[in-house]
Amino acid sequence: MANEEKSRRDFMGMALGACAAVGGIGALYAAKRSWDPLPSVKAAGFTTIDLAGAQPNVLNVEKWRGKPIFVLKKSADMKADERDIVIGSDRFHVSIGLCTHLGCIPAYKATDKKFLCACHGGEFDASGHESFGPPPSPLEIPPFKIDGTKLVLGEEGPEYKKMLAAGITV
């Protein structure tokens, strides 16, 4: 009788251990799923912008990872800058459209060729350099790769890596 009770106790211990293991695995799986980015966030990892139809001195605003992206084709009278993205014979200003002071979205004034932040009066030139007010640094350039006349945001191409090494992306 003692031997039968011992085997029953062993069985109950193993059954309880198996239930705890299954519950633990389920909890770990649920925790891992909560840490993974949502599919919508993964899909927003890369954004392709076709620059073939861009007009000079007209700001196009795109969206990448929930942030506004400023794309400005520079006109011939705008000065060239090391922050320009050159595609063919065209020069573009591309930046994350958030003021580096407090994250407001600056407006582009085409007549003045400036970005003006209404929050605290910050100004940026057409290349994204801070020119007046409290912004501590230029507008940030997102990671990009050039693919013909297309710009792929979210991927670090050789042009971006060169800018990053020179310290001009932020």
Side-chain angles (χ1 to χ4, degrees):
M1 196 61 128
N3 196 15
E4 185 179 306
E5 197 169 304
K6 183 177 184 236
S7 68
R8 183 183 300 180
R9 195 176 304 135
D10 288 345
F11 172 76
M12 293 300 286
M14 285 190 278
L16 179 63
C19 286
V22 168
I25 290 170
L28 288 174
Y29 177 74
K32 188 226 178 268
R33 293 274 309 204
S34 70
W35 295 327
D36 287 343
L38 295 172
S40 62
V41 173
K42 281 185 182 177
F46 297 102
T47 300
T48 302
I49 303 168
D50 191 0
L51 301 174
Q55 299 297 314
N57 201 31
V58 175
L59 182 68
N60 295 309
V61 180
E62 301 290 335
K63 196 169 188 181
W64 172 68
R65 293 186 180 174
K67 299 176 185 174
I69 301 297
F70 291 164
V71 179
L72 177 68
K73 182 177 181 179
K74 291 184 146 187
S75 57
D77 63 331
M78 292 179 180
K79 68 176 184 158
D81 191 88
E82 63 186 355
R83 295 172 52 88
D84 291 350
I85 296 173
V86 180
I87 298 177
S89 62
D90 297 324
R91 294 177 295 116
F92 293 88
H93 163 77
V94 177
S95 66
I96 297 175
L98 298 174
C99 179
T100 55
H101 178 230
L102 291 177
C104 299
I105 300 174
Y108 182 66
K109 301 296 181 192
T111 54
D112 298 332
K113 298 177 181 148
K114 289 182 189 179
F115 294 95
L116 303 173
C117 182
C119 292
H120 297 102
E123 291 182 9
F124 300 89
D125 65 12
S127 296
H129 293 287
E130 71 279 16
S131 56
F132 178 78
S137 60
L139 293 173
E140 184 178 346
I141 298 173
F144 68 90
K145 180 181 109 178
I146 298 171
D147 184 16
T149 61
K150 295 180 181 170
L151 197 65
V152 181
L153 298 176
E155 192 172 339
E156 293 185 4
E159 298 85 359
Y160 178 78
K161 288 179 181 177
K162 186 177 172 185
M163 289 179 158
L164 188 62
I168 58 174
T169 57
V170 177

